[in-house]
Amino acid sequence: MLNKKQIKNWLYRFGYDTDYANSPLSKAICDEQFLGEAKSRTAEYSAVFEEHRQASTPKLPLEIEFRKRAHADRSLLGNKGYGLAQMSYLGFPIPPGFTITTDGCRNYYDQGQTLAETIWDQVVAEIKLLEKATGKQFGSAPFPLLLSVRSGAKTSMPGMMDTLLNLGLNDETTELLGHATQDARFAYDSYRRFIEMYSSIIMGIDHHLFVEVVEEMKAAENVHHEAGLGLGALHAVIDRYKKIVWAHTGTTYPQDVFEQLRKAIVAIFASWNGPRAVTYRTLNHINDQAGTAVTIQSMVFGNRGTDSLTGVLFTRNPSTGEPTLFGEYLINAQGEELVSGLVTPRQITRQGRQAIQDKQASLEEAYPVVFNELRHLAMELESHFKEMQDIEYTVEQGKLWLLQTRNGKRSAKAAVKIAVDMVCEGKIDAEEAVQRIDYNQIEQLLHATLDAHQSIEILTHGLPAAPGVASGVIVCAPEEVAALSKTENVILVRGETSPDDIGSMAKAAGILTTKGGMTAHAAVVARGMGKPCICGARGITIDMENRLLLIGQTKLPMGSYVTIDGTTGAVIKGKVATVQQKPFPEFVTFMGLVDQLKRMEVRANAETVQDATVALSFGIAGIGLCRTEHMFFNVDDMRLFRKMILMSDATARLNSLRELLVVQKRDFKALFQTLHGLPITVRLLDPPLHEFLPHHPKEIAELALQLGCPLDEVAGRIEELDEVNPMLGHRGARLAITFPEMYAMQVQALFEAALEVEQVALEIMLPLVFDAKEVIFIKNIIETVHQKTAPHIPYKVGVMIELPRAALQAATIAPLVDFFSIGTNDLTQTTLGISRDDGAKFLDSYQQKGLLQDDPFVTLDREGVGALIHMAVVEGRSANPNLKIGICGEHGGDPRSIEFFESIGIDYISCSPYRVAIAKLAAAKAMRFTDVRR
Ligand code: ADP
Ligand code: MG
Ligand code: MG
């Protein structure tokens, strides 16, 4: 016999346990004495709140165990179900219902895409409970129960899988609903919505066909909003809807309400593998195994007259991070209208309304009681989750219901501000704040804004939906974006966007819509992608036929340039200049937290004063790699350098080296002065000499003329220096073995420069060594010059570990030097035997075929190259306990590689100046894996 416990529970129930409306909490919130900021809540209020929360713990005995366990399991309930379960746990006003867990979705696919009877039986039983709780009947008199059927995976995917509202209506129940509510108009309005959604979502009929009917009817009746359609008009709309369904499918939508429900559940499970959802998951690297949950909930109605409304709300401003409520609402409407962006919603707060100079009254002004309650509940939710919440709510005849809460998407700037503010408010600690910021958010913050010192032509304004500036050519057809975006920046201009546009939005530089509000699809997605976006630019007409945009008197053909400023909402003619954003106070504070948390030093790779200055502005510990050959890149210096290389006899070469000494010294001195005593690791000449020489006959002739040398001599010398495999040829320390005078010159320049500045922490680095004897040989060159030039100037010597043999010899090399700098680029090339320049041709195939997880030149190959590094670290340190070990090379700026470097106790990483902030953040985040803080 089956024991109850052995029956698998597929469902999670919510919204039953408290009568919120009559609770002391509800009274407390509405009570005058608790008005004011939720932050400053009184002890008395806290006690009421806690009592309420305890009263709302599950009381239905059968599932208590399951419910206690499941209510905190996001992967089981999906993000939406999880939010509802949590609100249920807090005893907040949510319409009762239940969630079919993601196990149900996996089961559906395991069973060859069928809904198991055991699951269905539980659903039917649950409906009975819902009927009891609501006093309504599913599919019958006196008051028909209507349901909302909602999808929701663990990771929230805005708009990815559709929600069906008003399920349970048919010709008969609509009549009954009209009777029960004494409002036939409301009943038929709901029925119209149901047919529309059921037919498009479940039966696959193009949604626009229905929208057209309503638009025509609005025009015929001369009303602006759907709410203006009377009962007669609604009947006519429904008739035409039914004809559309019949014409397209040769059948009708089900009149049997249980059939409606069953098909809806199946459709949601099926939508998990629909193209939109798959695209979204691919773009966001979401694991395909997870599946979606289905939430079935009793309906509440925002479309029951002017004391009913629906809206969304963020507990903080998602663009700026300001700690003020931000959101929109629509009177006498249901939620999907708001998300669709087809109508202009009203603002929640007076402040928000004033900010965009909206004339329509805000919720705060028009419905102060509801606003106050909503504000309190929203702030409680934020405190509960310790995260900015994105909340959906509906008011039915004056009564507030919460329908969804989740962590809100936000701009990069808002993310940083909110994280820092929450640390200050004591809601989270610094570790948590640092974990909450993504690398691409930091990247966005370092992006450019409009240069104020130029005249620009503003064509029109829209709503500032996602910050940042983007210039690009106008494209109105999403299918044209892919091809054009290969060569040009593209601004995608649309009426509104839908989930089908995700692919082209990802390729566009910016998004501009003529309809919709700040929480429309385009806005939400753009903020998530970090793209500048303007919504609701109503001054723009898209003329598809003539392929142009009409803005006032201006006609802009597709393909012409516009600039959008998503921070201000300005649409600007042409391409415009931008400037780097100044760090805002919270960003500085945030980077301060990062600096406190990280253990590794972060340095920059720089060889010019300009790069060093940028790097210093990001707060570096020094320069970790100064590539001296990069210092000859200007024309004059390059000419001198070439001359030196081309001199085949030693005396002539020494003469040119003397000339070079002057420019090297000048450049080193400027760098030293810029650094004000911060350490600088100067790498002596590394690349093969022929890399500096021209190879084209015409250029060779020019060079000969320039140097006043016979052409055949020059050509002959170039040929002499030519190598079959220069990467493995005469380069790095090997240059010093054959031409010691070159390194001697560089070292002399360094010491002479050091003598002329107040302070410098000089570190001289030898590239491409593989043996201790090489190191001793070159150290002798250095020390000889040192003694002659500046014996009292201290300096350090180190080597690059960039050949496997050097790593293997770590124990013999380490005692000779002060530091190792791991050159991960060359070490990857030489360990894998793959040239970085040629690898691109086949490394892709390795990744596609699953043979390599990552491009080893981007993310360090831990098992191979990483193992060598680890060995060098361990052996190097045991031979020389004072050895300092750093990383230079691309991997020094790659977060996943940095995680590894932290784990093996590297002392510092060095990366390009613009990566410094990201490298620091990665170093700080990596601390979560380190048990012992050193
Ligand atoms: P999405 O994933 O697009 O946010 P939701 O499931 O949240 O989908 O549903 C979209 C909208 O439908 C909600 O914002 C809400 O306004 C409305 N809605 C969902 N469930 C209900 C319900 N039980 N009663 C009334 N409206 C609902
Ligand atoms: Mg929602
Ligand atoms: Mg190298």
Side-chain angles (χ1 to χ4, degrees):
M1 210 186 78
L2 263 181
N3 174 320
K4 279 249 159 69
K5 276 196 181 142
Q6 289 169 311
I7 301 175
K8 184 170 168 67
N9 201 342
W10 300 97
L11 310 180
Y12 177 85
R13 189 180 300 143
F14 58 77
Y16 277 88
D17 292 293
T18 36
D19 181 8
Y20 168 80
N22 298 312
S23 70
L25 178 68
S26 163
K27 288 200 184 72
I29 284 176
C30 298
D31 193 326
E32 288 280 329
Q33 66 170 303
F34 293 119
L35 291 183
E37 285 305 313
K39 280 194 267 210
S40 61
R41 69 186 205 183
T42 59
E44 200 182 331
Y45 172 83
S46 296
V48 172
F49 182 83
E50 186 49 29
E51 199 176 302
H52 184 74
R53 195 192 58 68
Q54 277 173 16
S56 64
T57 0
K59 277 177 209 64
L60 295 175
L62 212 141
E63 279 115 352
I64 284 185
E65 271 317 301
F66 174 69
R67 296 185 65 202
K68 276 195 178 148
R69 189 166 45 80
H71 88 280
D73 191 343
R74 211 187 277 269
S75 60
L76 199 60
L77 298 177
N79 201 33
K80 212 171 283 167
Y82 170 77
L84 287 163
Q86 290 287 315
M87 288 195 285
S88 179
Y89 163 83
L90 293 173
F92 283 5
I94 55 172
F98 58 95
T99 298
I100 310 177
T101 65
T102 50
D103 285 347
C105 184
R106 282 188 291 272
N107 181 273
Y108 167 84
Y109 283 102
D110 289 348
Q111 307 284 316
Q113 309 210 18
T114 48
L115 183 65
E117 281 314 307
T118 50
I119 300 181
W120 178 245
D121 289 347
Q122 288 187 8
V123 168
V124 173
E126 204 61 32
I127 298 286
K128 292 273 162 288
L129 270 187
L130 259 189
E131 289 180 333
K132 225 156 122 201
T134 58
K136 300 175 181 175
Q137 273 68 44
F138 191 49
S140 58
F143 201 130
L145 170 67
L146 302 196
L147 301 174
S148 113
V149 183
R150 319 169 66 183
S151 61
K154 179 180 175 188
T155 315
S156 136
M157 302 184 215
M160 281 300 109
M161 279 166 283
D162 296 304
T163 289
L164 246 171
L165 301 179
N166 310 306
L167 187 134
L169 284 176
N170 55 29
D171 292 349
E172 193 192 325
T173 52
T174 306
E175 265 304 301
L176 292 171
L177 183 67
H179 263 283
T181 57
Q182 293 294 303
D183 189 350
R185 195 214 156 265
F186 152 73
Y188 280 92
D189 180 53
S190 304
Y191 196 24
R192 163 187 79 78
R193 292 169 197 267
F194 168 68
I195 303 172
E196 198 176 306
M197 293 178 110
Y198 192 92
S199 310
S200 55
I201 298 169
I202 314 282
M203 305 179 86
I205 303 173
D206 184 356
H207 186 239
H208 280 103
L209 295 172
F210 300 102
V211 175
E212 265 166 32
V213 173
V214 172
E215 289 299 313
E216 278 174 35
M217 195 57 77
K218 271 159 67 180
E221 300 277 303
N222 200 17
V223 294
H224 293 296
H225 185 255
E226 292 168 17
L229 295 177
L231 185 58
L234 287 171
H235 275 300
V237 167
I238 289 169
D239 275 346
R240 287 186 56 191
Y241 275 11
K242 288 182 172 174
K243 289 197 182 103
I244 292 173
V245 176
W246 185 260
H248 279 79
T249 60
T251 169
T252 62
Y253 51 88
Q255 289 285 320
D256 178 344
V257 295
F258 279 99
E259 191 186 336
Q260 290 176 359
L261 181 58
R262 190 179 180 125
K263 287 201 162 138
I265 295 169
V266 166
I268 288 182
F269 284 155
S271 79
W272 172 253
N273 275 339
R276 289 165 168 193
V278 171
T279 309
Y280 187 89
R281 288 201 293 275
T282 317
L283 279 172
N284 293 282
H285 311 285
I286 296 170
N287 167 9
D288 274 20
Q289 307 304 310
T292 179
V294 177
T295 291
I296 294 162
Q297 188 180 31
S298 49
M299 281 291 297
V300 290
F301 300 99
N303 58 334
R304 268 186 90 174
T306 49
D307 57 353
S308 302
L309 55 91
T310 184
V312 298
L313 149 78
F314 291 83
T315 53
R316 306 195 183 213
N317 186 310
S319 289
T320 64
E322 284 302 321
T324 46
L325 292 190
F326 174 89
E328 298 172 330
Y329 75 107
L330 278 177
I331 299 169
N332 200 6
Q334 287 192 344
E336 81 284 359
E337 283 169 64
L338 201 70
V339 190
S340 73
L342 290 169
V343 275
T344 318
R346 301 166 186 233
Q347 291 295 308
I348 280 213
T349 60
R350 182 189 291 123
Q351 189 200 18
R353 174 178 69 75
Q354 284 162 349
I356 61 163
Q357 289 170 359
D358 190 3
K359 289 190 189 63
Q360 310 179 92
S362 66
L363 188 74
E364 183 174 8
E365 293 156 308
Y367 301 86
V369 179
V370 165
F371 173 78
N372 180 56
E373 185 174 14
L374 180 61
R375 185 184 61 175
H376 268 86
L377 293 174
M379 296 318 293
E380 289 297 351
L381 284 175
E382 183 182 283
S383 304
H384 175 70
F385 290 103
K386 300 179 174 31
E387 250 291 28
M388 183 255 260
Q389 293 298 293
D390 166 359
I391 297 164
E392 297 175 6
Y393 57 90
T394 282
V395 174
E396 179 177 347
Q397 301 195 315
K399 184 167 160 30
L400 173 67
W401 296 95
L402 302 181
L403 295 174
Q404 181 174 336
T405 191
R406 61 182 162 201
N407 296 341
K409 298 220 167 180
R410 63 205 77 179
S411 72
K413 178 169 184 201
V416 170
K417 175 156 173 56
I418 292 171
V420 167
D421 284 354
M422 285 196 169
V423 173
C424 298
E425 291 161 20
K427 284 189 171 145
I428 58 174
D429 58 15
E431 276 95 347
E432 174 63 22
V434 162
Q435 295 303 339
R436 281 189 186 177
I437 305 302
D438 291 347
Y439 304 108
N440 58 20
Q441 288 173 322
I442 295 292
E443 239 160 36
Q444 281 165 42
L445 287 175
L446 304 174
H447 276 173
T449 55
L450 271 190
D451 184 354
H453 305 284
Q454 64 187 327
S455 59
I456 51 171
E457 187 184 337
I458 295 184
L459 296 166
T460 183
H461 270 98
L463 301 171
V469 177
S471 296
V473 295
I474 302 165
V475 174
C476 297
E479 60 277 9
E480 290 172 16
V481 172
L484 261 172
S485 63
K486 283 190 189 132
T487 52
E488 299 265 22
N489 277 340
V490 166
I491 303 291
L492 179 63
V493 187
R494 301 279 280 158
E496 71 269 334
T497 64
S498 77
D500 294 325
D501 299 329
I502 296 247
S504 32
M505 290 173 82
K507 292 201 173 73
I511 293 135
L512 171 60
T513 72
T514 59
K515 300 180 198 162
M518 307 268 269
T519 47
H521 178 265
V524 172
V525 173
R527 278 198 292 271
M529 288 179 171
K531 310 229 155 174
C533 173
I534 295 177
C535 282
R538 273 156 234 279
I540 302 179
T541 312
I542 304 174
D543 182 347
M544 282 305 239
E545 207 164 300
N546 299 306
R547 295 181 60 80
L548 55 84
L549 297 187
L550 194 64
I551 312 177
Q553 299 303 313
T554 316
K555 284 183 185 168
L556 288 181
M558 312 233 162
S560 46
Y561 265 92
V562 286
T563 299
I564 59 169
D565 183 348
T567 316
T568 62
V571 181
I572 301 154
K573 194 170 177 182
K575 244 192 236 185
V576 301
T578 52
V579 286
Q580 211 53 48
Q581 238 186 93
K582 282 229 171 58
F584 53 99
E586 287 84 0
F587 184 72
V588 178
T589 311
F590 178 77
M591 289 312 294
L593 296 179
V594 166
D595 281 333
Q596 274 170 28
L597 286 176
K598 70 178 178 46
R599 179 195 57 83
M600 286 190 287
E601 256 179 33
V602 177
R603 296 189 179 192
N605 303 347
E607 35 279 321
T608 64
V609 168
Q610 198 191 350
D611 281 356
T613 308
V614 171
L616 282 169
S617 75
F618 291 116
I620 45 162
I623 289 181
L625 177 64
C626 168
R627 291 156 288 203
T628 47
E629 62 275 6
H630 284 221
M631 300 171 93
F632 302 121
F633 280 175
N634 79 59
V635 183
D636 287 340
D637 297 349
M638 185 54 90
R639 190 180 49 78
L640 281 178
F641 193 67
R642 284 172 162 175
K643 194 168 141 196
M644 183 274 294
I645 297 172
L646 288 170
M647 298 298 132
S648 45
D649 87 284
T651 351
R653 194 158 56 236
L654 276 177
N655 282 335
S656 350
L657 277 171
R658 233 166 265 134
E659 287 179 285
L660 271 175
L661 175 73
V662 178
V663 303
Q664 284 261 275
K665 180 179 159 187
R666 173 199 68 198
D667 294 346
F668 287 140
K669 186 176 164 187
L671 270 179
F672 293 168
Q673 281 167 334
T674 311
L675 284 175
H676 289 292
L678 285 179
I680 173 169
T681 306
V682 179
R683 181 179 72 186
L684 301 180
L685 218 52
D686 180 40
L689 296 182
H690 81 107
E691 244 184 42
F692 296 93
L693 297 174
H695 294 280
H696 201 275
K698 200 173 142 232
E699 289 168 335
I700 297 175
E702 268 170 26
L703 180 65
L705 205 66
Q706 235 179 41
L707 299 179
C709 294
L711 177 62
D712 53 347
E713 220 172 85
V714 172
R717 179 84 177 137
I718 290 178
E719 214 181 293
E720 237 174 77
L721 288 170
D722 193 36
E723 291 177 305
V724 177
N725 200 344
M727 264 299 154
L728 302 176
H730 192 188
R731 53 175 291 218
R734 297 156 203 178
L735 290 169
I737 309 301
T738 48
F739 306 120
E741 62 277 13
M742 270 187 222
Y743 274 20
M745 177 279 287
Q746 290 198 295
V747 173
Q748 189 178 341
L750 281 169
F751 286 126
E752 285 185 10
L755 281 173
E756 290 179 19
V757 297
E758 241 166 68
Q759 44 177 346
V760 59
L762 179 59
E763 304 174 345
I764 299 173
M765 179 156 77
L766 317 176
L768 217 76
V769 299
F770 56 74
D771 190 79
K773 288 195 275 306
E774 249 179 331
V775 178
I776 293 169
F777 181 89
I778 301 170
K779 272 182 70 175
N780 273 331
I781 301 175
I782 297 173
E783 194 40 36
T784 310
V785 178
H786 181 235
Q787 286 308 326
K788 252 200 292 199
T789 324
H792 61 282
I793 297 268
Y795 71 99
K796 292 186 168 140
V797 176
V799 292
M800 301 229 6
I801 301 290
E802 52 185 339
L803 293 174
R805 195 181 191 283
L808 292 161
Q809 285 296 307
T812 59
I813 297 176
L816 302 170
V817 296
D818 302 298
F819 65 92
F820 280 177
S821 176
I822 321 269
T824 51
N825 297 341
D826 267 317
L827 191 58
T828 299
Q829 293 202 100
T830 50
T831 302
L832 276 79
I834 295 176
S835 116
R836 178 153 60 136
D837 307 313
D838 301 316
K841 288 182 204 139
F842 51 84
L843 281 173
D844 259 3
S845 306
Y846 267 80
Q847 277 171 272
Q848 276 155 22
K849 299 192 167 129
L851 303 172
L852 269 181
Q853 181 102 35
D854 301 295
D855 179 340
F857 291 102
V858 176
T859 298
L860 193 88
D861 152 42
R862 290 190 190 192
E863 293 77 32
V865 182
L868 263 178
I869 297 176
H870 193 193
M871 193 201 72
V873 168
V874 172
E875 304 208 341
R877 285 223 177 103
S878 63
N880 175 2
N882 295 324
L883 189 73
K884 187 161 176 172
I885 303 179
I887 301 283
C888 62
E890 294 303 297
H891 303 91
D894 171 62
R896 279 187 295 156
S897 309
I898 291 171
E899 199 173 274
F900 173 73
F901 300 140
E902 170 56 45
S903 75
I904 59 168
I906 295 287
D907 296 305
Y908 69 92
I909 49 183
S910 189
C911 59
S912 73
Y914 282 106
R915 292 297 288 182
V916 165
I918 286 171
K920 283 183 170 188
L921 179 58
K925 284 194 186 211
M927 294 307 290
R928 113 190 91 150
F929 302 111
T930 309
D931 306 333
V932 199
R933 298 262 156 87
R934 277 159 284 206

